[in-house]
Amino acid sequence: MTMELTWHGHSTWHVDVDGTTFLIDPFFDNPFTDLEPDDVETPDYLLLTHGHADHIADAGAFTDATLVAVPEMTAFMQDEHGFDDAIGMNLGGTVECGDAFVTMHRADHTNGLNTGYEHDIGMPAGFVISDQKPTQASDQDATAFYHAGDTALMSEMIDVIAPFLEPDAAALPCGDHFTMGPWQAAVAADWLGVDHVFPMHYDTFPPVEIDVEDFVNEVKATGSDADVHVLDGDETFTLE
């Protein structure tokens, strides 16, 4: 089974797993895409990693999708935006979504609603989307994509995600300041043991402006065998 991975800039990804479609962290007001939310077909599932404004800004345009997030997030989004269908899950859980499985893992970050301080909206998270349900047994035929969300470098990447969730590809924030910078994201790529890695969450606004080639070079410096793919906005990569 193949996955179609499309980067719409910042942390916004569209994932197609054999016809089951996902949109992650919709935020189209970024310099990598000319698309508006109305230009994007409603996915089967909308995955939200956390409640900062640059990750949920356009979620309200996709209320016909099934929302997947931590329970605090799903409750808020249902009340404020009118989502009818939602799967409130939590860290460590796996849910079946159409022809795919979604496993939620923690991200080291904060989660004030809309980047404010009045309300915390649950734990921030990352997602592993796979075409087989994860088990303790290694499955060389499975295909899995890890969206790390907004996170710092964390030991779970090498201790849990790599050996048990076995991602083939990872989208990692590397813009520094609010998340990992290039060298920490490179270490994450090495720890995860992925074949393919994609930088994200960079060059959207001044605090996260970097030279993305620094990330490419840092991955090489780790000795990782991962291929680094610096995608253009709205570019699709086929993961096989």
Side-chain angles (χ1 to χ4, degrees):
M1 189 179 293
T2 61
M3 291 189 187
E4 300 288 335
L5 310 174
T6 303
W7 184 56
H8 293 302
H10 203 57
S11 296
T12 304
W13 287 82
H14 184 277
V15 180
D16 187 320
V17 184
D18 200 32
T20 298
T21 56
F22 301 86
L23 185 65
I24 308 173
D25 286 1
F27 174 64
F28 290 92
D29 186 17
N30 73 75
F32 289 95
T33 183
D34 293 324
L35 295 178
E36 298 290 336
D38 289 346
D39 298 324
V40 179
E41 186 175 347
T42 297
D44 297 315
Y45 298 91
L46 181 70
L47 277 53
L48 301 179
T49 64
H50 64 296
H52 286 170
D54 55 325
H55 295 260
I56 66 170
D58 294 318
F62 302 99
T63 55
D64 288 337
T66 298
L67 176 65
V68 181
V70 294
E72 295 85 352
M73 175 77 78
T74 56
F76 171 79
M77 298 301 287
Q78 287 182 294
D79 285 347
E80 294 296 318
H81 293 285
F83 283 87
D84 290 326
D85 298 319
I87 300 172
M89 63 182 303
N90 222 312
L91 306 181
T94 298
V95 296
E96 187 171 1
C97 297
D99 290 321
F101 295 87
V102 174
T103 300
M104 180 181 284
H105 202 282
R106 77 179 183 89
D108 276 356
H109 198 57
T110 59
N111 200 15
L113 178 61
N114 286 319
T115 327
Y117 63 85
E118 294 92 347
H119 303 287
D120 185 86
I121 197 163
M123 289 288 291
F127 295 102
V128 176
I129 300 174
S130 56
D131 61 4
Q132 302 292 327
K133 186 174 182 178
T135 68
Q136 292 187 64
S138 179
D139 187 346
Q140 297 302 314
D141 294 327
T143 302
F145 168 64
Y146 173 41
H147 185 295
D150 278 10
T151 190
L153 183 66
M154 56 185 187
S155 59
E156 284 85 349
M157 292 173 175
I158 193 170
D159 291 334
V160 179
I161 297 172
F164 297 110
L165 298 177
E166 299 184 298
D168 301 286
L172 301 175
C174 65
D176 219 334
H177 197 95
F178 299 114
T179 68
M180 299 182 287
W183 77 262
Q184 291 186 63
V187 172
D190 184 42
W191 282 2
L192 289 164
V194 291
D195 297 321
H196 306 280
V197 63
F198 308 92
M200 67 174 182
H201 203 282
Y202 70 93
D203 285 0
T204 310
F205 30 75
V208 298
E209 290 177 354
I210 62 167
D211 183 347
V212 74
E213 286 301 311
D214 288 345
F215 173 65
V216 176
N217 294 332
E218 290 285 0
V219 172
K220 292 178 181 177
T222 67
S224 169
D225 293 328
D227 291 328
V228 182
H229 305 275
V230 181
L231 299 182
D232 294 327
D234 308 318
E235 182 178 355
T236 298
F237 178 87
T238 300
L239 180 63
E240 298 179 304

